[in-house]
Amino acid sequence: MDKTTRLIHHPYQPPEGYSAPQPGVFKASTIIFPSVAVLRERYKDEVGHQYTYGTKGTPTTFLLEERLCTLEGGNSCTLVPSGLAAIALVNLALLKSGDDILIPDNVYGPSKTLANAELANFGISHQVYDAMNPADLAAKISQKTKLVWLEAPGSVTLEFPNLPALVRICKAKNVLIAFDNTWGAGIAFNPFEQGVDISVHALTKYPSGGGDVLMGSVMTRDAALSSRIKHCHMRLGYSVGVNDIETVLRSLPSMAVRYAAHGAAAHELAMWCQQQSDIVQVLHPAIPGSPGHAHWQEVCTQGQSAGLFSIVLHGRLSSAQVDAFCDALNVFKLGFSWGGPMSLVVPYKVRQMRTLPLPEYLQHGHLVRFSIGLEAVEDLTADLAQAMQLAFKSFRISC
Ligand SMILES: *Cc1c(COP(=O)(O)O)cnc(C)c1O
């Protein structure tokens, strides 16, 4: 044998008697079959838990899928390359031309963009509903409605909807419910116990926890639904790199303590923000006075919340001052996404994100969203204070 061949065919046996907390990592595009008979057998059930080809998964893929199922009591989980890909997979697997879907107005933004572009091109229509008004959802469900998207709380504005009421409406009309549970991360509450059919996660956020991996998951309890999602996933070739899966497997054991730490720090900072005269509204579901606080209490019975909150800055401040405030922050970095150790800030133009008329608390002022990392809370408070002092000084003098 040539040495190049020997490098490829060098025999390898996993060490006998070897055991360690972290599972081994199995990488493959090609998977080797012991015989033609086995090859044919494995392809009889295309989406069964069988090793056929790397796009479907290796033992590492299946391990993370099974672990994620334990989080929410799912029966089947499918990994995809990002949280947005998880949303796209659900839509592509379940919808066809002529169908209509319902999307909350405060949904994760790119979900709406996808509906406006590709879904519309495929002949799938959508309507936007007010997640804080269950009657609006009920009024918009029609014979054509095949899927309702839910999210709790809303992205960026963090209103917590009346989840039990929204689910009851969908169930009464026999419409499938897909729930984006990125915020809850399978920790704050269990979406299947609320009655949803599909739970979608951006694993990019808390499950990864490092700000360095993009991944998503689609979880179901119903076998027929799972089969539709797995088949579509296979046909799209939405596979996930095994090194990224390894990173999430490494991070998952610490997710619950990280979630609690991010949540406690965000709550403390949000309370501090409520005392600041430049801030007219703090949007954080665990804070009394925030939209949907009572609904959060009803669903998140352990009192858990993610490390996110937004503030509405006084309408008399200029946009330039708000930008200057964000630029003046040092510990907080400007950037999208969340769930990592570093605190982040993004100013948003809410008016451009919404389709329906804005609720009163968003009509005036400027919205800034914070994602709280794992830094010491006093450093974050001091950073907010110095940036407000710097950017809003002239406003205070003129008041
Ligand atoms: C971040 C996020 C997504 C998208 O996840 P990516 O991995 O960044 O594509 C989807 N839904 C929600 C609620 C998110 O916060």
Side-chain angles (χ1 to χ4, degrees):
M1 261 186 210
D2 184 76
K3 63 183 174 195
T4 57
T5 313
R6 285 206 309 269
L7 275 184
I8 297 161
H9 285 268
H10 175 253
Y12 168 76
Q13 291 291 327
E16 211 170 294
Y18 173 77
S19 182
Q22 183 67 358
V25 177
F26 297 93
K27 303 175 73 169
S29 49
T30 297
I31 283 161
I32 295 167
F33 301 90
S35 68
V36 175
V38 169
L39 184 153
R40 295 208 173 115
E41 187 60 33
R42 284 192 199 168
Y43 270 98
K44 277 189 184 152
D45 176 11
E46 285 180 316
V47 297
H49 239 199
Q50 310 244 35
Y51 303 117
T52 51
Y53 191 58
T55 48
K56 204 175 103 185
T58 74
T60 308
T61 321
F62 294 162
L63 183 65
L64 180 56
E65 290 177 345
E66 284 161 13
R67 276 197 190 167
L68 290 170
C69 280
T70 66
L71 205 52
E72 294 179 340
N75 283 331
S76 169
C77 175
T78 305
L79 299 182
V80 289
S82 69
L84 181 55
I87 295 168
L89 175 63
V90 171
N91 286 324
L92 294 177
L94 304 180
L95 303 172
K96 63 178 184 333
S97 173
D99 291 345
D100 188 54
I101 63 169
L102 285 162
I103 300 177
D105 201 18
N106 57 3
V107 76
Y108 172 70
S111 180
K112 251 191 219 176
T113 316
L114 174 69
N116 276 321
E118 277 70 20
L119 296 190
N121 290 343
F122 299 157
I124 299 156
S125 59
H126 73 278
Q127 297 177 74
V128 167
Y129 71 92
D130 176 3
M132 299 306 282
N133 178 8
D136 188 46
L137 173 67
K140 286 173 177 167
I141 294 181
S142 73
Q143 292 293 321
K144 284 177 65 186
T145 311
K146 292 291 145 56
L147 183 66
V148 170
W149 278 98
L150 302 180
E151 197 174 320
S155 271
V156 178
T157 43
L158 298 159
E159 302 93 346
F160 209 98
N162 185 345
L163 210 48
L166 296 174
V167 169
R168 265 197 308 274
I169 289 164
C170 298
K171 294 260 175 230
K173 307 225 176 176
N174 224 350
V175 181
L176 283 176
I177 304 166
F179 184 76
D180 186 332
N181 195 24
T182 301
W183 181 91
I187 291 177
F189 61 97
N190 187 322
F192 290 116
E193 280 165 17
Q194 297 293 321
V196 315
D197 299 294
I198 302 156
S199 170
V200 159
H201 287 261
L203 304 177
T204 306
K205 310 290 170 50
Y206 294 118
S208 149
D212 55 354
V213 171
L214 288 158
M215 205 181 299
S217 65
V218 178
M219 207 183 297
T220 50
R221 280 190 170 173
D222 178 76
L225 203 49
S226 143
S227 170
R228 289 167 76 186
I229 285 165
K230 289 271 176 201
H231 273 98
C232 181
H233 175 258
M234 184 186 67
R235 289 187 291 256
L236 291 172
Y238 257 11
S239 70
V240 177
V242 173
N243 286 352
D244 284 347
I245 296 175
E246 180 199 16
T247 308
V248 177
L249 281 169
R250 176 84 155 70
S251 297
L252 270 186
S254 64
M255 180 166 73
V257 285
R258 285 186 284 108
Y259 193 90
H262 286 287
H267 190 264
E268 198 177 330
L269 278 156
M271 296 295 280
W272 181 85
C273 283
Q274 272 204 320
Q275 310 304 314
Q276 308 308 309
S277 58
D278 301 308
I279 297 170
V280 292
Q281 171 87 50
V282 175
L283 301 166
H284 181 310
I287 293 220
S290 193
H293 173 65
H295 302 313
W296 169 81
Q297 274 181 315
E298 192 187 341
V299 168
C300 300
T301 49
Q302 305 297 312
Q304 299 253 40
S305 56
L308 287 175
F309 70 96
S310 291
I311 56 172
V312 180
L313 285 160
H314 205 291
R316 276 187 291 173
L317 291 164
S318 69
S319 290
Q321 278 176 303
V322 175
D323 291 355
F325 161 70
C326 294
D327 282 333
L329 291 164
N330 296 315
V331 184
F332 284 90
K333 303 296 178 195
L334 266 173
F336 291 102
S337 204
W338 39 274
M342 195 178 278
S343 290
L344 301 170
V345 61
V346 180
Y348 281 94
K349 303 269 180 230
V350 188
R351 204 168 290 277
Q352 294 164 15
M353 297 159 61
R354 296 292 187 105
T355 312
L356 304 173
L358 286 180
E360 172 62 27
Y361 55 87
L362 297 176
Q363 281 177 13
H364 317 285
H366 311 267
L367 190 136
V368 175
R369 203 267 314 267
F370 299 105
S371 155
I372 305 307
L374 296 170
E375 301 95 338
V377 172
E378 57 268 29
D379 290 330
L380 295 171
T381 318
D383 196 30
L384 291 176
Q386 67 77 23
M388 282 186 198
Q389 181 59 30
L390 204 73
F392 304 152
K393 251 186 331 232
S394 56
F395 165 65
R396 287 188 188 144
I397 290 160
S398 71
C399 276

